[in-house]
Amino acid sequence: MKQPRHHTFTATIEQKIKSGAYPPGHRLPSVREIMAQYRLSATTVQSGYEHLVISGLVESIPKSGYYVSGTQPVISIPPPVVERDATYLHKLSLITSRHAGRHASTAFNVAAPGDLLIPQKLLLRTMQQVIREQGASLLRYDAPTGNASLRQSISLHLSQHHTMVHADELLITDGALQALYIALAAVCRPGDVVAVESPCVFSVLEVLQVMHLQVLEIPAPFQPDALEEACGRLKARAIIVTPNFHNPTGALLPDAGKQQLLAIAEKYNVPVIENDVYGDLHFTGQRPSNLKMFDRQGLVLTYSSFSKTLAPGIRLGWLAPGRYYKEAEQVRFSLGSAVSPVYQAMVQKLLATGSYQRHVRTFRARLARNAAVTQQLLAAHFPQSTVFSRPEGGYSMWVEMPAGTDMQRCYEHFTPGYNFTLTASFRHCFRLVFAEPYTPARKAAIQAAAQLYR
């Protein structure tokens, strides 16, 4: 079995820890020292230390370094070696609060509403209500396609924004990522080329790789010439887009752009998989239209989720697969039973009573304030040459530093740009998520990051 590249130094550190040469509390060499000694990249060294942290041998203390753990695990029988993908583990850590360690409260890397923005009382009260009303029926299997009343409520919710999808055309899924997987499995086969916007979220890239699909990155925001080439000469089998408040850039594709994108897809008969998870989170005016609204041939497979608008723990999404419903329904069935009946009943009640709509109005206003504060902080404290997006919805902002900037010191709180591509691009960029209320500590964290480049 081929050893990961970081094994050249992690094996030495492990041996010295287990032999007692490095006692508990001993400060280990810095990332820069390891890079120079072993001629490794920063990413490889960080992956190695991540491996040592996961094994329990090493602790990471933010702004201080890596230290031998105070207590070492006692293992009487060596466990079997489990191969882990170091690059995957490293990138995964950069989109979770665990990456921030003790500074999770000042992290800007998790694309989900923070605890203070989650409507906890509303969700718990509604959950208690549906349990009292429906009792033991919530403990049974539900239809693989999802609760009929919930699908009807989602259909009505969409129609209020001029998107007509019949309840029987909807599939309820275990979150947005499962909806994406189902959509891809319905229209693609291993080896097919799939066009994605670049930068693109890590989770989408990971799904494509796991499904053995070829990734074709085209620049975001949408560029007609690039998409025309992808569909024509490069034979893309599907297109994945987030036209409403794209993650990570926050960009909104105007209606004219959406119609032009759909026209190209129709010209080459290429399915479009539309991520609309942020569509309800517009800051001003009316909700932006989605591609599904303009679709007349059934080419668009639109999906969304309530994890981004209610709470990340509510793993409940939906997929409107258009002309590919038959294939998508079979894939959905193959993935097992339906989403938790309790969650389905709760979300259905929130939609039917208008509670969801009232919550989202408040949530949007708070996100808009957060976005304004973020822009003020970036403008006031980061170098004048810094470029950042000004989203009109969602909660992601894309920040571009001058080319050649060493971003490693800044990634304690933000998600690095290289996490959003399979290429060597965006190494001078990062994503900033503003889904938490601003506290003095959160403002100070942005100011401290800016000082590194002053």
Side-chain angles (χ1 to χ4, degrees):
M1 183 182 296
K2 184 179 179 181
Q3 297 286 0
R5 292 192 64 193
H6 61 65
H7 183 75
T8 56
F9 81 93
T10 55
T12 300
I13 291 178
E14 287 184 29
Q15 188 275 326
K16 289 186 177 181
I17 292 175
K18 292 176 180 178
S19 68
Y22 286 167
H26 178 80
R27 190 178 190 278
L28 297 172
S30 69
V31 171
R32 291 184 181 277
E33 290 172 340
I34 294 291
M35 289 171 60
Q37 182 178 351
Y38 291 88
R39 296 184 179 180
L40 297 172
S41 69
T43 299
T44 300
V45 177
Q46 288 171 337
S47 297
Y49 270 130
E50 182 77 9
H51 163 77
L52 294 171
V53 170
I54 292 171
S55 70
L57 295 172
V58 171
E59 294 179 349
S60 172
I61 300 179
K63 298 185 179 179
S64 181
Y66 295 92
Y67 295 80
V68 178
S69 296
T71 58
Q72 302 304 326
V74 178
I75 303 174
S76 56
I77 301 176
V81 176
V82 178
E83 182 71 11
R84 302 292 298 276
D85 186 321
T87 302
Y88 163 77
L89 289 174
H90 175 62
K91 289 192 171 185
L92 182 64
S93 74
L94 295 172
I95 59 171
T96 63
S97 57
R98 184 170 65 86
H99 171 68
R102 299 177 185 176
H103 297 276
S105 63
T106 57
F108 298 83
N109 57 342
V110 182
D115 290 349
L116 295 179
L117 293 184
I118 293 174
Q120 297 180 33
K121 292 182 179 179
L122 172 63
L123 296 179
L124 295 175
R125 183 175 67 248
T126 306
M127 186 179 293
Q128 290 169 349
Q129 289 173 352
V130 300
I131 290 173
R132 286 197 302 268
E133 293 166 1
Q134 302 186 34
S137 66
L138 297 174
L139 302 178
R140 304 189 187 105
Y141 279 132
D142 213 328
T145 54
N147 180 288
S149 296
L150 172 60
R151 288 186 281 114
Q152 185 63 49
S153 293
I154 293 173
S155 174
L156 179 60
H157 176 67
L158 291 171
S159 70
Q160 293 169 350
H161 306 296
H162 311 292
T163 300
M164 309 308 295
V165 178
H166 194 276
D168 291 341
E169 299 176 74
L170 290 167
L171 298 173
I172 302 302
T173 65
D174 186 10
L177 208 56
Q178 186 186 76
L180 170 64
Y181 182 96
I182 294 169
L184 284 167
V187 301
C188 294
R189 296 294 177 267
D192 284 347
V193 175
V194 177
V196 301
E197 298 164 297
S198 185
C200 178
V201 289
F202 164 71
S203 55
V204 172
L205 296 175
E206 192 65 23
V207 168
L208 290 167
Q209 292 187 94
V210 167
M211 295 182 72
H212 303 289
L213 297 167
Q214 298 185 60
V215 180
L216 174 60
E217 298 186 32
I218 58 177
F222 162 71
Q223 297 180 14
D225 291 344
L227 186 62
E228 185 95 31
E229 182 181 24
C231 295
R233 186 176 67 83
L234 300 177
K235 306 297 183 184
R237 185 65 187 85
I239 306 163
I240 301 175
V241 292
T242 306
N244 292 331
F245 316 123
H246 172 257
N247 182 4
T249 66
L252 171 64
L253 186 65
D255 283 358
K258 292 170 183 171
Q259 292 171 305
Q260 190 173 20
L261 185 157
L262 190 55
I264 294 173
E266 290 174 346
K267 175 181 176 181
Y268 294 96
N269 197 37
V270 177
V272 181
I273 301 174
E274 177 187 28
N275 177 359
D276 198 32
V277 296
Y278 300 104
D280 285 346
L281 299 180
H282 53 102
F283 295 160
T284 60
Q286 295 183 337
R287 186 197 195 279
S289 59
N290 50 34
L291 287 172
K292 196 72 173 176
M293 174 181 168
F294 303 108
D295 184 24
R296 297 295 178 266
Q297 299 185 16
L299 270 179
V300 177
L301 301 89
T302 298
Y303 69 90
S304 188
S305 166
F306 294 95
S307 299
K308 302 298 187 183
T309 51
L310 288 174
I314 298 178
R315 305 305 304 161
L316 195 159
W318 55 265
L319 171 67
R323 69 164 77 162
Y324 306 100
Y325 183 90
K326 179 183 71 174
E327 295 85 351
E329 182 183 27
Q330 293 173 342
V331 176
R332 176 68 189 89
F333 178 80
S334 73
L335 296 177
S337 58
V339 177
S340 163
V342 175
Y343 283 160
Q344 293 195 66
M346 181 184 69
V347 172
Q348 191 278 327
K349 194 173 190 68
L350 290 171
L351 288 168
T353 60
S355 297
Y356 173 79
Q357 292 83 349
R358 288 191 292 273
H359 155 68
V360 168
R361 282 197 294 271
T362 302
F363 189 27
R364 290 200 308 256
R366 299 179 76 176
L367 288 175
R369 289 195 294 270
N370 285 357
V373 172
T374 306
Q375 293 167 12
Q376 292 168 4
L377 290 169
L378 291 173
H381 300 288
F382 270 73
Q384 193 172 14
S385 55
T386 302
V387 177
F388 53 87
S389 61
R390 298 179 181 274
E392 302 173 49
Y395 36 70
S396 294
M397 189 174 295
W398 188 245
V399 183
E400 182 176 345
M401 301 292 290
T405 302
D406 177 12
M407 300 297 298
Q408 292 301 322
R409 295 171 294 174
C410 201
Y411 288 160
E412 182 178 338
H413 301 291
F414 310 126
T415 308
Y418 63 73
N419 215 45
F420 300 92
T421 179
L422 298 178
T423 70
S425 304
F426 311 126
R427 304 195 73 84
H428 60 297
C429 304
F430 62 86
R431 181 189 69 180
L432 189 158
V433 176
F434 48 87
E436 290 264 16
Y438 268 100
T439 62
R442 290 181 71 77
K443 292 181 179 179
I446 290 183
Q447 294 173 17
Q451 287 302 314
L452 295 173
Y453 303 102
R454 284 290 182 183

